[in-house]
Amino acid sequence: MPKGEKLTVAYICEDLDISRSTFDDWRQKGRAPKCLRLPNGSLRVRRAEYERWLASLEDATQ
């Protein structure tokens, strides 16, 4: 994996087996991983941020 790799929202939705509308809802409620907005309007998530966010979900259940 390249350092600083950026993931697409489609990749994240596939990885989590959720719909794009679910991701958008989480994002609106502040529950999604932090996103970067590219100049063309597309969203990306840094892999490190995605992994941190997933780890935080594990901690919340313990």
Side-chain angles (χ1 to χ4, degrees):
M1 281 175 254
K3 184 177 179 182
E5 181 182 10
K6 292 160 190 74
L7 308 173
T8 64
V9 173
Y11 173 87
I12 291 172
C13 289
E14 183 178 328
D15 189 47
L16 297 174
D17 194 26
I18 61 169
S19 68
R20 173 63 190 251
S21 63
T22 297
F23 182 87
D24 291 339
D25 183 54
W26 289 354
R27 191 164 178 261
Q28 183 179 15
K29 293 176 180 175
R31 296 180 181 165
K34 293 178 186 176
C35 297
L36 303 168
R37 184 167 302 277
L38 301 178
N40 68 0
S42 298
L43 295 175
R44 297 288 186 276
V45 177
R46 287 186 175 97
R47 179 172 290 281
E49 168 60 19
Y50 181 55
E51 291 173 358
R52 183 210 57 79
W53 178 78
L54 286 174
S56 75
L57 296 177
E58 290 175 10
D59 293 343
T61 62
Q62 294 177 356

